[in-house]
Amino acid sequence: MSKIQMRTPLVEMDGDEMTRIIWKMIKDHLLTPYIDLKTEYYDLGLPSRDETDDQITVQAAEAVKKYGVGVKCATITPNAQRVTEYNLKKMYKSPNGTIRAILDGTVFRTPITLPCLKPSVRSWVKPITIARHAYGDIYKCTEYRVPGPGTAEILFKDADGKELFHETVFEFKCPGVLMGTYNKDDSIQSFARACFNYALATKQDLWFSAKDTISKKYDHTFKDIFQEIYDAEYKAKFEQAGITYFYTLIDDAVARVIRSEGGFIWACKNYDGDVMSDMVATAFGSLAMMTSVLVSPDGNYEYEAAHGTVTRHYYKHLEGESTSTNSMATLFAWTGALKKRGEMDNIPELVAFGEKLEQASLKCIEDGFMTKDLALLADMENKTVLSTEGFILKVKEYLDAAL
Ligand code: NAP
Ligand code: MG
């Protein structure tokens, strides 16, 4: 059998610890034997980031802009302990944060679902994708611990220094707390377009929720911007695709989500998305089955697993112990990227291969072959717990049978 040929490279961002090991196994066993894999390789492993003063991360993000599709392995975000462990020159910022700032994207998180993995919410039969606006609000706030009686004011001056707005927030009679947050129209517009585009690309309904009844300027602006962009740019396309967009209050959305059967995208403001994505992930079963894709407003895609580098398993691996780490989310990052590359470059064989590899891995689990984390969750009689590599090799058997 001849290997599938690629035209444009995929931006490959290698990472750290257990996921770096899984990364190589996936490539060696499941990809390079079948595809003439063309990637532009960036090593985002911590030693390489340290060597390049983190320039490698910036270069990788620029490459995603250039080629349109990237796939990223989980990476360590250094803290003080990591600085000692890796003898780092400094405490580098989160690579994901750096990449997100350059691509200006929205993060979509979707669980990989299977009939044997029963969500805690009984009505959910299809995945729910959370789209989180990853900019501003309380994540960029200015806050103050009020020590005692006094006046809190809000003041806005235009570029010429003229006061346009000046109001009292609260007359404190006792100690308290105070916070100022902001967002920008262009960031909200990018967020809206990323959501509309992703809904069209995946042919799913889009919900957006905020609290515009209480926040009549701040949240209402989000609601208005979504509606204006929808009406002007997406309404016709949505109708043609047979999907819908609707806005509802966040508390109504929560109730509807729980009663729903899934199968839609839920766009959330930054904080709501932070909280709700953890709730949805947990209710669907496992962080190890959560995929994540960063979509930029100009149509660049970066795929990754939602979980980290699985440090605890890596230390066991270093001690020579056998591990049973789940490679599904990392595998789906690769298949997502390959399918997108195939779609953009019009290579149907590449899209079909990505599809078959996903199906092979799902069938493998449905037949009872899985890693330890899933064995604890799966609702079935006969389960075989495999090692990290054992699972990948089993998927290969299923893939070979399907090709
Ligand atoms: P983690 O790597 O996601 O792992 C937390 C725990 O979740 C693991 O110890 C394991 O539980 C379970 N788990 C996660 N993924 C799994 C998988 N594929 N298979 C089986 N079990 C899995 O989070 P962390 O330990 O908090 O962070 C480790 C490192 O990852 C940190 O340095 C952090 O900076 C980095 N991180 C990177 C990203 C990213 O690159 N996107 C995201 C988050 C964290 P058990 O130990 O109980 O088996
Ligand atoms: Mg969170």
Side-chain angles (χ1 to χ4, degrees), residues 109 130 273-283 287 290:
R109 278 183 161 206
I130 301 265
D274 185 350
V275 177
M276 293 306 162
S277 63
D278 282 344
M279 188 202 67
V280 168
T282 309
L287 187 58
M290 201 57 145

Side-chain angles (χ1 to χ4, degrees), residues 157-163:
K157 290 191 269 187
D158 70 10
D160 301 325
K162 190 174 147 220
E163 281 188 16

